[in-house]
Amino acid sequence: MARLILLLTTALAFTGCGQIWLPESAERRIGELASGHMLERTPRVENSPWEAFVQDAGKKLAAASERPDYDYRFHIVASPEINAFALPDGQIFVTDSLLNAAGRDDDAVAAVLGHEIGHVARRHGAEALQSSIGLAAGGAAIFGFEGSLGRAAAGLASQLLELGYGRDMELEADLCSIRYLARLGRPPEDGLKFLRLLAMREHERAGSMDYYLRSHPPTAERIRYAEAYAASVTVSTGPALSR
């Protein structure tokens, strides 16, 4: 009991201190529960012409991230919404509507994948979860994930899809995308291609973009922030991204 109290007290001490104390095992399990829920309610698209590119580009971008050995998995899902999202277990979902909106712009899709990988690599899911559920997350890490506590944590993880990761983490993910693309030899400007496509089409396709626009900072702000960062990024030589 004394050890349990010490563990809980330590978890509380870190809450709100800007540190990620949620164990990776907890992050993975909570994410798995949420991903399973999402795959039940959002069907995967079979035989998409984008499948090979999403898998190949996703793996290469993940390898260029700060967390290259995590278990990233990529899914194309059917939805009328132009959207993409990442869950804490490394599963990344891209809607067919987003891919259709991108047309044949591989760079724009790669930028989206880099953004979502950034959320996982920077542990934004763990940070958001511990901020949302505080002591409950610590209890889940100590007592296990099955049962009501695990289901509650998975439900909170699913809320990330509705609310996004918050302004600061969304802006950081944009910078991650630029950085990973540069590590693969792509010009930093490629990291802005989806944002500029979004800016051109957000009024034209307002209905299908409502979900994405609600969960992210204003596109103009994201572009300004990303442009300033892109100007400082050095391009490396890396494996090609091709479809």
Side-chain angles (χ1 to χ4, degrees), residues 41-242:
R41 60 187 262 199
T42 311
R44 289 195 60 178
V45 175
E46 303 296 337
N47 303 316
S48 168
W50 281 99
E51 181 68 27
F53 179 81
V54 167
Q55 298 299 330
D56 180 66
K59 289 174 184 176
K60 288 174 180 174
L61 286 160
S65 76
E66 296 84 0
R67 207 179 185 189
D69 298 324
Y70 204 62
D71 184 21
Y72 296 88
R73 283 162 286 172
F74 303 90
H75 308 284
I76 299 173
V77 294
S79 172
E81 297 282 352
I82 294 173
N83 200 17
F85 45 90
L87 288 172
D89 64 334
Q91 296 202 56
I92 291 169
F93 301 79
V94 183
T95 68
D96 54 352
S97 294
L98 184 149
L99 297 172
N100 291 337
R104 293 194 58 83
D105 194 334
D106 295 356
D107 295 332
V109 173
V112 171
L113 293 172
H115 176 101
E116 300 306 329
I117 289 166
H119 283 310
V120 179
R122 303 300 295 172
R123 299 195 70 191
H124 290 166
E127 189 174 344
L129 281 165
Q130 69 185 33
S131 175
S132 297
I133 60 181
L135 181 58
I142 295 164
F143 293 115
F145 307 98
E146 311 310 325
S148 59
L149 186 58
R151 287 192 294 273
L156 285 165
S158 295
Q159 288 180 23
L160 294 174
L161 308 181
E162 301 291 335
L163 304 175
Y165 283 93
R167 176 184 176 277
D168 290 346
M169 285 187 275
E170 295 295 350
L171 292 174
E172 183 182 14
D174 286 337
L175 307 193
C176 288
S177 181
I178 293 169
R179 185 162 63 250
Y180 305 157
L181 286 165
R183 287 173 182 171
L184 296 180
R186 306 301 285 266
E189 283 291 308
D190 284 2
L192 286 94
K193 285 197 172 182
F194 180 73
L195 293 177
R196 288 175 174 152
L197 177 67
L198 193 65
M200 288 189 298
R201 304 191 67 174
E202 61 186 5
H203 299 300
E204 169 195 343
R205 300 283 298 273
S208 61
M209 292 185 182
D210 282 350
Y211 186 93
Y212 190 86
L213 295 173
R214 265 199 324 270
S215 60
H216 289 75
T219 306
E221 178 187 7
R222 295 174 68 187
I223 290 173
R224 287 195 302 272
Y225 198 70
E227 284 177 336
Y229 179 74
S232 68
V233 172
T234 301
V235 178
S236 305
T237 301
L241 301 179
S242 59

